Structures are given as C-alpha cells and as structure tokens.
Amino acid sequence: MDDPPLAPPTRHVTTTRIVAVRGSALEFRADRVVGEEPLEIRAAGPGQDPVAVAITMRTPGHEDELAAGFLRTEGLIEGPEILRFATGDPAAMSQPDDQVTVHLSRPFDASRVAERHFVATASCGICGKASLDEVTVRSAPIPDGPVVGRSVILALPALLRAAQPAFDETGGLHAAALFSPAGELLVLREDVGRHNALDKLVGSQVLARAMPLHGRILMVSGRVSFEIVQKAAVAGIPIVCAVSAPSDLAVEAADRLGVTLVGFLRGDGFNVYAHDERVDLRDLLAFD
C-alpha cells in the first residue's frame, strides 16, 4: 500500500520524509519539522530609502512583531513612532514576507546600524554586541516590584509547555512567554531562535502600546544568554525565568540592570542568580 500523501506544507511547520529507528524496529514515515528562513529587517523614516538593519534566521510568522521587537530591544526605536509595515516586492521575491520594512514617523539614524554591525542568527543572537555599559545606558531603571510567590515561579514551566502547539508537532521550537505576577499566561511566541521568540513577544507589546513591561514575568525555554537579559531589561521586564542555565555574562547583566534572574526552573526547584528580593521565599526561611 502506498504511503498516505503528505499534508500540504505550511511555512512555520513543514512535513518531511524520515527513516525512524526505534530499537530493532524500522519505519518509513512522514514527520513534522520546524520552518527556518531568513528575514531581512529594514527601517525607513519619512522620505528615506529603507536601511537594512539585520538579517536573522527565524521561523516564519509574526514578522511585523519580530521586526518591531528587534528594533525596540536593540534600542533603535521607542515604538510609538511605528507607522506601518511593508513586505518585500512579490515580483522580485518568492517569499515577500522574508523582508519587512518598518516605516517610522521620524527619520531613522542609519549611522547607528553601521556602528553596531548587526549580524543575527537564530542560535547566537547578535554578534558584535555593544558592551554591557552601552546596554546599561539605554535601559531605563526597572522598578523594585513585583514580588512573586514561589508557587507561581514553580508553575511557569508547565504553563509554558502546555501553550506550545508548534513544539508539540516538531519538538524544535523555543518559546518566550509573558505572565502576570499571579501566574496568568498573557502572551506566548515561538521561534527556532530563542532571541527571535523574545523579540516577537516584545514586538507584540510594542504594537499593543503596552510598554514598558514592568509588571510582567518572562519565561523562556532553554538557557539564558546575555542577549536575553539585555532585551528583557530594555523592555522593562523585572523577572526572567528559564528552564536551563544562565551564562556568567547573563548573571552579571541581570545584576547590573536590576533584573531578577531565575534558572534551572524544573520540578520543585530553581536557582535565583540575581535580585532575589522579588521572589517571596519567606515560607522557606527559618527564624529563631
């Protein structure tokens, strides 16, 4: 009997043929894999030709949010000046949404792009990153609160995992989600790159005019790099949680930028690497 026809491909999740080996069993079947394609992000002010800012490998979908979030978390725009988005020329590109131009109400300073030397990939974020000192300058101070209960922190991984439909199909997507201090899931975005997932998330809030995100908790899959912390800080997020480990530079950045950093959030435990004052642990403290 012939194999059933493959499902029509979509751009964020596609179907491919695989040879599956399970112990002594062999199976030829279809499998779902995550999509990965380049996105060129451009910006233009009134009367300006578009300026190429970055090219990032991303999972197709939410391109406008990704562009807005990237420009905002890299300190190139504030957000309210966004007028509209335009995709590439269909006559020149097979996939016009592989290019997004963000049109602004004010002139765009192209010299800032040249100074920063943006080269983005889904796996490593931005190479040629500006120093932590520069990030500190463009990150507004984060307020002291909120203070979040231990039970809320412990519940986040399961809530994140339950809200990842594309991960269920492919097993190959990172996620970034915003939660309220009470643990309510507010927004979630997925992408092949953890930095892109966060930029899509922040971009959704830029477009919703919800910035800064002072009353929110960020939960990310995977590890926490310097880029994750600096993007969260620029967005005003006070608490960043992750299922895996932070890097040493991520810890240093969190400490200097005023971000509570929680890592190895699994089962009934977690580590707090910076600014533990926002995590309520009084029930675990014994006083004489």
Side-chain angles (χ1 to χ4, degrees):
M1 180 180 295
D2 293 337
D3 290 338
L6 295 179
T10 59
R11 298 195 65 217
H12 75 287
V13 176
T14 62
T15 304
T16 188
R17 297 284 188 185
I18 68 166
V19 178
V21 178
R22 301 292 185 270
S24 60
L26 179 66
E27 181 183 5
F28 298 88
R29 61 178 173 84
D31 196 27
R32 303 285 273 169
V33 294
V34 61
E36 182 178 21
E37 297 183 16
L39 174 69
E40 181 185 22
I41 299 172
R42 309 196 306 173
Q48 289 181 315
D49 291 331
V51 176
V53 178
I55 297 176
T56 183
M57 297 302 297
R58 99 297 186 191
T59 300
H62 303 288
E63 282 77 20
D64 292 354
E65 293 179 354
L66 176 53
F70 178 88
L71 294 175
R72 179 65 186 89
T73 61
E74 294 301 328
L76 298 174
I77 65 170
E78 291 298 318
E81 68 269 40
I82 295 175
L83 293 177
R84 61 185 178 88
F85 300 88
T87 58
D89 182 359
M93 303 179 65
S94 61
Q95 299 291 354
D97 60 355
D98 282 350
Q99 181 186 86
V100 173
T101 300
V102 183
H103 290 273
L104 308 171
S105 61
R106 60 161 179 80
F108 181 72
D109 185 358
S111 66
R112 299 182 66 187
V113 177
E115 290 170 357
R116 302 286 295 282
H117 304 293
F118 290 112
V119 178
T121 71
S123 59
C124 72
I126 304 303
C127 306
K129 176 64 64 181
S131 68
L132 180 53
D133 290 337
E134 194 274 335
V135 175
T136 304
V137 169
R138 59 188 172 86
S139 297
I142 297 177
D144 292 340
V147 176
V148 178
R150 179 168 60 98
S151 62
V152 171
I153 299 292
L154 290 172
L156 297 181
L159 294 172
L160 180 80
R161 180 68 181 81
Q164 287 188 259
F167 183 88
D168 288 338
E169 292 189 71
T170 67
L173 284 171
H174 286 287
L178 280 183
F179 291 87
S180 73
E184 176 190 5
L185 175 61
L186 303 174
V187 187
L188 180 142
R189 293 290 182 266
E190 292 178 296
D191 197 275
V192 70
R194 62 176 62 87
H195 309 90
N196 292 340
L198 179 51
D199 278 336
K200 288 179 177 179
L201 186 72
V202 172
S204 73
Q205 301 307 289
V206 169
L207 300 181
R209 301 291 192 265
M211 303 288 285
L213 303 175
H214 288 159
R216 299 291 181 254
I217 304 167
L218 172 66
M219 177 73 196
V220 298
S221 61
R223 62 183 178 84
V224 181
S225 63
F226 164 74
E227 287 87 359
I228 294 293
V229 172
Q230 69 96 1
K231 286 177 181 291
V234 172
I237 300 172
I239 302 174
V240 175
C241 301
V243 297
S244 193
S247 68
D248 60 350
L249 189 56
V251 174
E252 180 184 349
D255 184 59
R256 288 182 56 179
L257 297 172
V259 175
T260 296
L261 180 56
V262 176
F264 285 111
L265 177 49
R266 305 169 183 174
D268 63 354
F270 54 84
N271 299 337
V272 186
Y273 293 87
H275 293 281
D276 61 273
E277 65 272 11
R278 293 195 186 95
V279 182
D280 187 352
L281 301 175
R282 290 175 296 176
D283 62 319
L284 300 181
L285 298 175
F287 296 97
D288 295 332

